[in-house]
mmCIF file of all heavy atoms in Angstrom:
data_model
loop_
_atom_site.group_PDB
_atom_site.id
_atom_site.type_symbol
_atom_site.label_atom_id
_atom_site.label_comp_id
_atom_site.label_asym_id
_atom_site.label_seq_id
_atom_site.Cartn_x
_atom_site.Cartn_y
_atom_site.Cartn_z
ATOM 1 N N HIS W 900 0.185 2.981 -25.403
ATOM 2 C CA HIS W 900 1.462 2.382 -25.887
ATOM 3 C C HIS W 900 2.540 2.208 -24.779
ATOM 4 O O HIS W 900 3.690 2.524 -24.984
ATOM 5 C CB HIS W 900 2.012 3.365 -27.029
ATOM 6 C CG HIS W 900 1.327 3.263 -28.344
ATOM 7 N ND1 HIS W 900 1.679 3.861 -29.464
ATOM 8 C CD2 HIS W 900 0.058 2.647 -28.615
ATOM 9 C CE1 HIS W 900 0.889 3.722 -30.443
ATOM 10 N NE2 HIS W 900 -0.218 2.988 -29.880
ATOM 11 N N ARG W 901 2.058 1.887 -23.665
ATOM 12 C CA ARG W 901 2.907 1.674 -22.480
ATOM 13 C C ARG W 901 3.836 0.346 -22.601
ATOM 14 O O ARG W 901 3.291 -0.589 -22.950
ATOM 15 C CB ARG W 901 2.023 1.553 -21.218
ATOM 16 C CG ARG W 901 1.314 2.776 -20.841
ATOM 17 C CD ARG W 901 0.280 2.523 -19.665
ATOM 18 N NE ARG W 901 -0.770 1.722 -20.112
ATOM 19 C CZ ARG W 901 -1.805 1.403 -19.373
ATOM 20 N NH1 ARG W 901 -1.772 1.669 -18.042
ATOM 21 N NH2 ARG W 901 -2.886 0.655 -19.933
ATOM 22 N N PRO W 902 5.082 0.622 -22.312
ATOM 23 C CA PRO W 902 5.908 -0.587 -22.339
ATOM 24 C C PRO W 902 5.697 -1.418 -20.989
ATOM 25 O O PRO W 902 5.188 -0.866 -20.035
ATOM 26 C CB PRO W 902 7.384 -0.010 -22.349
ATOM 27 C CG PRO W 902 7.203 1.376 -21.686
ATOM 28 C CD PRO W 902 5.826 1.821 -22.174
ATOM 29 N N HIS W 903 6.179 -2.524 -20.909
ATOM 30 C CA HIS W 903 6.122 -3.346 -19.655
ATOM 31 C C HIS W 903 7.151 -2.814 -18.773
ATOM 32 O O HIS W 903 8.427 -2.631 -19.061
ATOM 33 C CB HIS W 903 6.505 -4.838 -20.114
ATOM 34 C CG HIS W 903 6.259 -5.753 -18.834
ATOM 35 N ND1 HIS W 903 5.052 -6.031 -18.348
ATOM 36 C CD2 HIS W 903 7.180 -6.434 -18.164
ATOM 37 C CE1 HIS W 903 5.249 -6.824 -17.295
ATOM 38 N NE2 HIS W 903 6.458 -7.119 -17.163
ATOM 39 N N VAL W 904 6.630 -2.452 -17.465
ATOM 40 C CA VAL W 904 7.482 -1.864 -16.533
ATOM 41 C C VAL W 904 7.585 -2.616 -15.230
ATOM 42 O O VAL W 904 7.891 -2.132 -14.192
ATOM 43 C CB VAL W 904 7.028 -0.328 -16.298
ATOM 44 C CG1 VAL W 904 7.277 0.532 -17.457
ATOM 45 C CG2 VAL W 904 5.550 -0.285 -15.738
ATOM 46 N N TYR W 905 7.247 -3.969 -15.240
ATOM 47 C CA TYR W 905 7.301 -4.785 -14.063
ATOM 48 C C TYR W 905 8.267 -5.897 -14.283
ATOM 49 O O TYR W 905 8.938 -6.052 -15.417
ATOM 50 C CB TYR W 905 5.850 -5.278 -13.835
ATOM 51 C CG TYR W 905 4.932 -4.169 -13.704
ATOM 52 C CD1 TYR W 905 3.923 -3.997 -14.682
ATOM 53 C CD2 TYR W 905 4.908 -3.303 -12.627
ATOM 54 C CE1 TYR W 905 2.860 -3.016 -14.487
ATOM 55 C CE2 TYR W 905 3.855 -2.266 -12.483
ATOM 56 C CZ TYR W 905 2.968 -2.165 -13.421
ATOM 57 O OH TYR W 905 2.084 -1.126 -13.319
ATOM 58 N N SER W 906 8.297 -6.803 -13.455
ATOM 59 C CA SER W 906 9.197 -7.973 -13.546
ATOM 60 C C SER W 906 8.745 -8.910 -14.742
ATOM 61 O O SER W 906 7.577 -8.908 -14.986
ATOM 62 C CB SER W 906 9.256 -8.707 -12.238
ATOM 63 O OG SER W 906 8.129 -9.639 -12.081
ATOM 64 N N HIS W 907 9.672 -9.721 -15.080
ATOM 65 C CA HIS W 907 9.414 -10.579 -16.266
ATOM 66 C C HIS W 907 8.336 -11.713 -15.825
ATOM 67 O O HIS W 907 7.795 -12.298 -16.734
ATOM 68 C CB HIS W 907 10.688 -11.209 -16.719
ATOM 69 C CG HIS W 907 11.252 -12.197 -15.834
ATOM 70 N ND1 HIS W 907 12.169 -11.764 -14.763
ATOM 71 C CD2 HIS W 907 11.269 -13.560 -15.722
ATOM 72 C CE1 HIS W 907 12.506 -12.846 -14.049
ATOM 73 N NE2 HIS W 907 12.080 -13.955 -14.611
ATOM 74 N N TRP W 908 8.155 -11.769 -14.514
ATOM 75 C CA TRP W 908 7.274 -12.934 -14.136
ATOM 76 C C TRP W 908 5.859 -12.659 -14.555
ATOM 77 O O TRP W 908 5.046 -13.589 -14.685
ATOM 78 C CB TRP W 908 7.310 -13.099 -12.594
ATOM 79 C CG TRP W 908 8.607 -13.667 -12.125
ATOM 80 C CD1 TRP W 908 9.706 -13.025 -11.628
ATOM 81 C CD2 TRP W 908 9.023 -15.134 -12.107
ATOM 82 N NE1 TRP W 908 10.718 -13.919 -11.423
ATOM 83 C CE2 TRP W 908 10.281 -15.230 -11.718
ATOM 84 C CE3 TRP W 908 8.280 -16.245 -12.611
ATOM 85 C CZ2 TRP W 908 10.970 -16.319 -11.673
ATOM 86 C CZ3 TRP W 908 8.936 -17.475 -12.437
ATOM 87 C CH2 TRP W 908 10.288 -17.517 -12.027
ATOM 88 N N TRP W 909 5.406 -11.413 -14.780
ATOM 89 C CA TRP W 909 4.069 -11.097 -15.267
ATOM 90 C C TRP W 909 3.872 -11.705 -16.759
ATOM 91 O O TRP W 909 2.765 -11.751 -17.165
ATOM 92 C CB TRP W 909 3.864 -9.621 -15.169
ATOM 93 C CG TRP W 909 3.708 -9.070 -13.811
ATOM 94 C CD1 TRP W 909 4.705 -8.431 -13.114
ATOM 95 C CD2 TRP W 909 2.557 -9.141 -12.899
ATOM 96 N NE1 TRP W 909 4.208 -8.104 -11.830
ATOM 97 C CE2 TRP W 909 3.033 -8.588 -11.662
ATOM 98 C CE3 TRP W 909 1.313 -9.704 -13.041
ATOM 99 C CZ2 TRP W 909 2.049 -8.550 -10.567
ATOM 100 C CZ3 TRP W 909 0.399 -9.650 -11.947
ATOM 101 C CH2 TRP W 909 0.796 -8.935 -10.790
ATOM 102 N N LEU W 910 5.039 -11.746 -17.439
ATOM 103 C CA LEU W 910 4.905 -12.140 -18.750
ATOM 104 C C LEU W 910 4.673 -13.600 -19.027
ATOM 105 O O LEU W 910 4.467 -14.039 -20.071
ATOM 106 C CB LEU W 910 6.290 -11.693 -19.522
ATOM 107 C CG LEU W 910 6.494 -10.202 -19.471
ATOM 108 C CD1 LEU W 910 7.902 -9.904 -20.120
ATOM 109 C CD2 LEU W 910 5.427 -9.410 -20.050
ATOM 110 N N TYR W 911 4.500 -14.290 -18.021
ATOM 111 C CA TYR W 911 4.115 -15.810 -18.068
ATOM 112 C C TYR W 911 2.535 -15.906 -18.064
ATOM 113 O O TYR W 911 2.073 -17.054 -18.173
ATOM 114 C CB TYR W 911 4.688 -16.562 -16.974
ATOM 115 C CG TYR W 911 6.151 -16.723 -17.036
ATOM 116 C CD1 TYR W 911 7.066 -16.048 -16.252
ATOM 117 C CD2 TYR W 911 6.775 -17.626 -18.031
ATOM 118 C CE1 TYR W 911 8.483 -16.202 -16.337
ATOM 119 C CE2 TYR W 911 8.155 -17.678 -18.110
ATOM 120 C CZ TYR W 911 8.989 -17.000 -17.279
ATOM 121 O OH TYR W 911 10.287 -17.016 -17.357
ATOM 122 N N LEU W 912 1.794 -14.821 -17.942
ATOM 123 C CA LEU W 912 0.413 -14.922 -17.994
ATOM 124 C C LEU W 912 -0.046 -15.559 -19.263
ATOM 125 O O LEU W 912 -1.152 -16.166 -19.291
ATOM 126 C CB LEU W 912 -0.281 -13.561 -17.790
ATOM 127 C CG LEU W 912 -0.193 -12.895 -16.388
ATOM 128 C CD1 LEU W 912 -0.602 -11.436 -16.419
ATOM 129 C CD2 LEU W 912 -0.935 -13.755 -15.405
ATOM 130 N N ARG W 913 0.714 -15.331 -20.372
ATOM 131 C CA ARG W 913 0.288 -15.764 -21.685
ATOM 132 C C ARG W 913 0.247 -17.379 -21.674
ATOM 133 O O ARG W 913 -0.530 -17.904 -22.393
ATOM 134 C CB ARG W 913 1.177 -15.333 -22.753
ATOM 135 C CG ARG W 913 2.641 -15.860 -22.734
ATOM 136 C CD ARG W 913 3.651 -15.154 -23.653
ATOM 137 N NE ARG W 913 4.832 -15.889 -23.721
ATOM 138 C CZ ARG W 913 5.864 -15.651 -22.960
ATOM 139 N NH1 ARG W 913 5.660 -14.818 -21.844
ATOM 140 N NH2 ARG W 913 7.061 -16.200 -23.099
ATOM 141 N N HIS W 914 1.099 -18.011 -20.873
ATOM 142 C CA HIS W 914 1.098 -19.488 -20.785
ATOM 143 C C HIS W 914 -0.195 -19.949 -20.099
ATOM 144 O O HIS W 914 -0.470 -21.232 -20.136
ATOM 145 C CB HIS W 914 2.323 -19.949 -19.961
ATOM 146 C CG HIS W 914 3.579 -19.614 -20.662
ATOM 147 N ND1 HIS W 914 3.798 -19.899 -21.902
ATOM 148 C CD2 HIS W 914 4.734 -18.934 -20.161
ATOM 149 C CE1 HIS W 914 5.022 -19.493 -22.299
ATOM 150 N NE2 HIS W 914 5.573 -18.906 -21.244
ATOM 151 N N LEU W 915 -1.030 -19.150 -19.347
ATOM 152 C CA LEU W 915 -2.300 -19.586 -18.831
ATOM 153 C C LEU W 915 -3.481 -19.327 -19.899
ATOM 154 O O LEU W 915 -4.529 -19.496 -19.637
ATOM 155 C CB LEU W 915 -2.606 -18.691 -17.659
ATOM 156 C CG LEU W 915 -1.573 -18.779 -16.476
ATOM 157 C CD1 LEU W 915 -1.926 -17.927 -15.326
ATOM 158 C CD2 LEU W 915 -1.436 -20.289 -16.013
ATOM 159 N N GLY W 916 -3.022 -18.937 -21.038
ATOM 160 C CA GLY W 916 -3.983 -18.661 -22.105
ATOM 161 C C GLY W 916 -4.751 -17.258 -22.038
ATOM 162 O O GLY W 916 -5.788 -17.155 -22.735
ATOM 163 N N LEU W 917 -4.157 -16.413 -21.216
ATOM 164 C CA LEU W 917 -4.814 -15.087 -21.086
ATOM 165 C C LEU W 917 -4.456 -14.167 -22.100
ATOM 166 O O LEU W 917 -3.181 -13.992 -22.485
ATOM 167 C CB LEU W 917 -4.545 -14.560 -19.586
ATOM 168 C CG LEU W 917 -4.973 -15.410 -18.423
ATOM 169 C CD1 LEU W 917 -4.395 -14.838 -17.176
ATOM 170 C CD2 LEU W 917 -6.480 -15.321 -18.413
ATOM 171 N N THR W 918 -5.318 -13.381 -22.632
ATOM 172 C CA THR W 918 -5.068 -12.331 -23.616
ATOM 173 C C THR W 918 -5.882 -11.110 -23.229
ATOM 174 O O THR W 918 -6.610 -11.082 -22.198
ATOM 175 C CB THR W 918 -5.570 -12.748 -25.076
ATOM 176 O OG1 THR W 918 -6.905 -12.812 -25.112
ATOM 177 C CG2 THR W 918 -4.960 -14.116 -25.377
ATOM 178 N N ARG W 919 -5.676 -10.030 -24.116
ATOM 179 C CA ARG W 919 -6.444 -8.766 -23.758
ATOM 180 C C ARG W 919 -7.963 -9.042 -23.695
ATOM 181 O O ARG W 919 -8.652 -8.277 -23.123
ATOM 182 C CB ARG W 919 -6.181 -7.701 -24.881
ATOM 183 C CG ARG W 919 -4.643 -7.142 -24.729
ATOM 184 C CD ARG W 919 -4.304 -6.263 -25.974
ATOM 185 N NE ARG W 919 -4.233 -7.242 -27.073
ATOM 186 C CZ ARG W 919 -4.302 -6.909 -28.417
ATOM 187 N NH1 ARG W 919 -4.419 -5.507 -28.654
ATOM 188 N NH2 ARG W 919 -4.156 -7.799 -29.299
ATOM 189 N N ALA W 920 -8.488 -10.034 -24.349
ATOM 190 C CA ALA W 920 -9.819 -10.262 -24.534
ATOM 191 C C ALA W 920 -10.344 -10.719 -23.044
ATOM 192 O O ALA W 920 -11.612 -10.665 -22.771
ATOM 193 C CB ALA W 920 -10.157 -11.394 -25.439
ATOM 194 N N ASP W 921 -9.452 -11.117 -22.227
ATOM 195 C CA ASP W 921 -9.849 -11.546 -20.757
ATOM 196 C C ASP W 921 -9.735 -10.374 -19.886
ATOM 197 O O ASP W 921 -9.917 -10.569 -18.568
ATOM 198 C CB ASP W 921 -8.875 -12.618 -20.283
ATOM 199 C CG ASP W 921 -8.990 -13.957 -21.183
ATOM 200 O OD1 ASP W 921 -10.011 -14.489 -21.226
ATOM 201 O OD2 ASP W 921 -7.941 -14.231 -21.924
ATOM 202 N N THR W 922 -9.469 -9.138 -20.266
ATOM 203 C CA THR W 922 -9.302 -7.993 -19.360
ATOM 204 C C THR W 922 -10.468 -7.791 -18.340
ATOM 205 O O THR W 922 -10.291 -7.675 -17.239
ATOM 206 C CB THR W 922 -9.041 -6.774 -20.167
ATOM 207 O OG1 THR W 922 -7.847 -6.824 -20.914
ATOM 208 C CG2 THR W 922 -8.814 -5.547 -19.239
ATOM 209 N N PHE W 923 -11.688 -7.835 -18.951
ATOM 210 C CA PHE W 923 -12.721 -7.395 -18.074
ATOM 211 C C PHE W 923 -13.011 -8.420 -16.999
ATOM 212 O O PHE W 923 -13.173 -8.027 -15.834
ATOM 213 C CB PHE W 923 -13.974 -7.113 -18.876
ATOM 214 C CG PHE W 923 -15.129 -6.663 -18.097
ATOM 215 C CD1 PHE W 923 -15.198 -5.207 -17.866
ATOM 216 C CD2 PHE W 923 -16.176 -7.369 -17.522
ATOM 217 C CE1 PHE W 923 -16.252 -4.687 -16.998
ATOM 218 C CE2 PHE W 923 -17.257 -6.872 -16.746
ATOM 219 C CZ PHE W 923 -17.202 -5.418 -16.469
ATOM 220 N N TRP W 924 -13.226 -9.697 -17.296
ATOM 221 C CA TRP W 924 -13.548 -10.691 -16.279
ATOM 222 C C TRP W 924 -12.397 -10.807 -15.299
ATOM 223 O O TRP W 924 -12.514 -11.035 -14.130
ATOM 224 C CB TRP W 924 -13.958 -12.096 -16.851
ATOM 225 C CG TRP W 924 -12.768 -12.867 -17.369
ATOM 226 C CD1 TRP W 924 -12.413 -12.946 -18.781
ATOM 227 C CD2 TRP W 924 -11.893 -13.796 -16.568
ATOM 228 N NE1 TRP W 924 -11.304 -13.865 -18.775
ATOM 229 C CE2 TRP W 924 -11.008 -14.327 -17.652
ATOM 230 C CE3 TRP W 924 -11.879 -14.024 -15.387
ATOM 231 C CZ2 TRP W 924 -9.992 -15.223 -17.236
ATOM 232 C CZ3 TRP W 924 -10.811 -14.944 -14.920
ATOM 233 C CH2 TRP W 924 -9.914 -15.574 -15.894
ATOM 234 N N LEU W 925 -11.105 -10.716 -15.819
ATOM 235 C CA LEU W 925 -9.941 -10.852 -14.949
ATOM 236 C C LEU W 925 -9.813 -9.657 -13.984
ATOM 237 O O LEU W 925 -9.606 -9.803 -12.888
ATOM 238 C CB LEU W 925 -8.690 -11.060 -15.784
ATOM 239 C CG LEU W 925 -7.371 -11.326 -14.948
ATOM 240 C CD1 LEU W 925 -7.471 -12.668 -14.187
ATOM 241 C CD2 LEU W 925 -6.172 -11.386 -15.918
ATOM 242 N N GLY W 926 -10.008 -8.493 -14.541
ATOM 243 C CA GLY W 926 -9.937 -7.222 -13.771
ATOM 244 C C GLY W 926 -11.040 -7.256 -12.690
ATOM 245 O O GLY W 926 -10.813 -6.830 -11.507
ATOM 246 N N LEU W 927 -12.205 -7.622 -13.049
ATOM 247 C CA LEU W 927 -13.394 -7.643 -12.149
ATOM 248 C C LEU W 927 -13.167 -8.675 -11.005
ATOM 249 O O LEU W 927 -13.503 -8.351 -9.837
ATOM 250 C CB LEU W 927 -14.678 -7.980 -12.948
ATOM 251 C CG LEU W 927 -15.986 -7.939 -12.147
ATOM 252 C CD1 LEU W 927 -16.209 -6.540 -11.475
ATOM 253 C CD2 LEU W 927 -17.180 -8.379 -12.951
ATOM 254 N N THR W 928 -12.669 -9.797 -11.406
ATOM 255 C CA THR W 928 -12.342 -10.755 -10.409
ATOM 256 C C THR W 928 -11.352 -10.272 -9.356
ATOM 257 O O THR W 928 -11.467 -10.483 -8.115
ATOM 258 C CB THR W 928 -11.790 -12.107 -10.994
ATOM 259 O OG1 THR W 928 -12.822 -12.657 -12.007
ATOM 260 C CG2 THR W 928 -11.479 -13.251 -10.002
ATOM 261 N N LEU W 929 -10.347 -9.574 -9.878
ATOM 262 C CA LEU W 929 -9.251 -9.019 -9.000
ATOM 263 C C LEU W 929 -9.896 -8.065 -8.121
ATOM 264 O O LEU W 929 -9.586 -7.951 -6.841
ATOM 265 C CB LEU W 929 -8.130 -8.515 -9.918
ATOM 266 C CG LEU W 929 -6.940 -7.819 -9.114
ATOM 267 C CD1 LEU W 929 -6.271 -8.726 -8.159
ATOM 268 C CD2 LEU W 929 -6.039 -7.216 -10.171
ATOM 269 N N VAL W 930 -10.688 -7.190 -8.655
ATOM 270 C CA VAL W 930 -11.256 -6.125 -7.859
ATOM 271 C C VAL W 930 -12.246 -6.575 -6.805
ATOM 272 O O VAL W 930 -12.173 -6.198 -5.617
ATOM 273 C CB VAL W 930 -12.034 -5.062 -8.633
ATOM 274 C CG1 VAL W 930 -13.021 -4.166 -7.871
ATOM 275 C CG2 VAL W 930 -10.981 -4.264 -9.461
ATOM 276 N N VAL W 931 -12.992 -7.626 -7.164
ATOM 277 C CA VAL W 931 -13.982 -8.205 -6.208
ATOM 278 C C VAL W 931 -13.225 -8.965 -5.016
ATOM 279 O O VAL W 931 -13.546 -8.766 -3.855
ATOM 280 C CB VAL W 931 -14.983 -9.118 -6.876
ATOM 281 C CG1 VAL W 931 -15.752 -9.912 -5.843
ATOM 282 C CG2 VAL W 931 -15.881 -8.302 -7.744
ATOM 283 N N ALA W 932 -12.231 -9.639 -5.397
ATOM 284 C CA ALA W 932 -11.401 -10.351 -4.388
ATOM 285 C C ALA W 932 -10.653 -9.397 -3.425
ATOM 286 O O ALA W 932 -10.685 -9.610 -2.291
ATOM 287 C CB ALA W 932 -10.239 -11.203 -5.136
#
Side-chain angles (χ1 to χ4, degrees):
H900 290 192
R901 290 170 290 180
H903 185 69
V904 294
Y905 305 110
S906 84
H907 67 277
W908 289 98
W909 293 101
L910 299 176
Y911 292 105
L912 289 172
R913 69 189 189 278
H914 296 309
L915 301 177
L917 297 172
T918 69
R919 286 167 295 162
D921 299 297
T922 297
F923 189 80
W924 75 262
L925 184 62
L927 183 61
T928 301
L929 176 58
V930 164
V931 171

